[in-house]
Amino acid sequence: MPDRRRAERSVSERPTTDRAHDAVLRHIEDSLRSGDLRLGDRLPGERALAEQFGISRASVRDAIRALEVMGIVRSATGSGPNAGTIVVSDPSSALGSALRLHVASQRLPVKDIVEARVMMETWSLAHAAAAPWEPAQLAEPRRLLEAMDDEALPSAAFTALDAQFHVALSALAGNAVVSTMMDSLRESIRGYVDEAVLAHGEWHSIVEELRRQHRGILGAVEARDGERAARLVREHIEWFYAQTL
């Protein structure tokens, strides 16, 4: 009987939590649209939100945790400017985490993720050729290339810098949605890439070719040769994926 009562209580409480999540999410969305709430603003405390929506503080905590997983808010305990629940809106982190789990579950094949990444990056570099970016914006990808030239750099550190390099170049197209999705796609297979590289056992020969390819891609972007940049990044991604099979 106690187990049955717990199950019945769990079922009866579930809609309340779901409604709490929806109500808080709608509140944040409406407030952002109206300008009443901006990125960096702090949400009211648990008690105030519970009273505002007519729900329990436990339901508010569940809703905040769900929103934090979605990358909409960041919560921190204690006092000071970073404490409380702050609106941050970090979609690439949320999407990347979700995609990593689906890749791990084999629901999303790595091959399909790589193909989607090729589409995103070739589009980005092709459009970057005519986008209004300033030459100074290439300072970050150049810095990343220099960091990747370190012969003592572990493979996992190299692939992390590699991800930043691709994101920095793709951002030159000026499309925030594409940049966010591309970042998420790249991050979703980093674990797979790191494991495959270690298993391959020939990292030193791979990394030298990656450096050469990176320099070629950057050179095409600097020359605003979108067609060549798109072709090189496609060959680069597909070559690297083939090495990890």
Side-chain angles (χ1 to χ4, degrees):
M1 287 296 292
D3 289 341
R4 181 178 177 181
R5 282 197 296 270
R6 278 198 297 270
E8 291 174 347
R9 186 164 59 248
S10 176
V11 170
S12 65
E13 289 176 354
R14 178 63 180 273
T16 302
T17 301
D18 289 346
R19 284 197 299 273
H21 172 277
D22 291 340
V24 175
L25 179 57
R26 284 197 300 273
H27 168 71
I28 293 176
E29 181 180 356
D30 292 343
S31 298
L32 286 169
R33 289 183 185 279
S34 67
D36 293 335
L37 192 64
R38 293 181 172 81
L39 296 183
D41 286 351
R42 185 179 285 101
L43 294 184
E46 285 182 6
R47 179 178 297 176
L49 287 174
E51 293 175 354
Q52 178 178 348
F53 296 109
I55 56 180
S56 69
R57 294 180 66 175
S59 293
V60 170
R61 283 193 293 273
D62 288 341
I64 295 300
R65 278 196 291 268
L67 294 171
E68 193 166 14
V69 169
M70 294 167 64
I72 296 172
V73 301
R74 183 189 68 240
S75 297
T77 58
S79 59
N82 295 321
T85 302
I86 300 173
V87 180
V88 294
S89 185
D90 186 7
S92 62
S93 175
L95 286 172
S97 296
L99 285 173
R100 279 198 303 272
L101 288 172
H102 287 297
V103 170
S105 72
Q106 299 182 7
R107 177 64 178 173
L108 294 178
V110 172
K111 178 178 179 293
D112 292 357
I113 293 286
V114 171
E115 288 177 352
R117 183 187 164 203
V118 168
M119 287 190 290
M120 293 287 183
E121 292 206 44
T122 53
W123 183 93
S124 295
L125 297 196
H127 282 71
W133 49 269
E134 298 294 329
Q137 289 177 254
L138 292 179
E140 176 65 4
R142 286 197 196 99
R143 182 191 69 78
L144 292 167
L145 281 190
E146 291 176 2
M148 283 187 277
D149 281 339
D150 183 355
E151 297 290 342
L153 200 64
S155 61
F158 184 97
T159 56
L161 293 170
D162 176 278
Q164 295 175 46
F165 173 76
H166 283 268
V167 171
L169 289 185
S170 295
L172 296 176
N175 189 303
V177 174
V178 170
S179 294
T180 298
M181 294 178 66
M182 204 285 296
D183 190 9
S184 301
L185 289 173
R186 181 63 181 84
E187 285 300 308
S188 69
I189 60 171
R190 268 198 55 206
Y192 160 81
V193 169
D194 289 340
E195 291 176 7
V197 164
L198 289 175
H200 192 273
E202 297 182 16
W203 172 244
H204 292 295
S205 60
I206 292 175
V207 72
E208 194 55 43
E209 177 61 16
L210 290 176
R211 291 188 181 110
R212 186 191 68 79
Q213 293 174 2
H214 283 156
R215 287 191 287 270
I217 294 168
L218 181 59
V221 171
E222 286 178 314
R224 290 188 177 270
D225 188 339
E227 183 178 350
R228 183 161 64 97
R231 175 176 57 80
L232 290 176
V233 81
R234 174 188 292 276
E235 292 173 354
H236 166 69
I237 295 170
E238 292 178 346
W239 180 86
F240 190 30
Y241 174 59
Q243 304 310 303
T244 63
L245 293 178

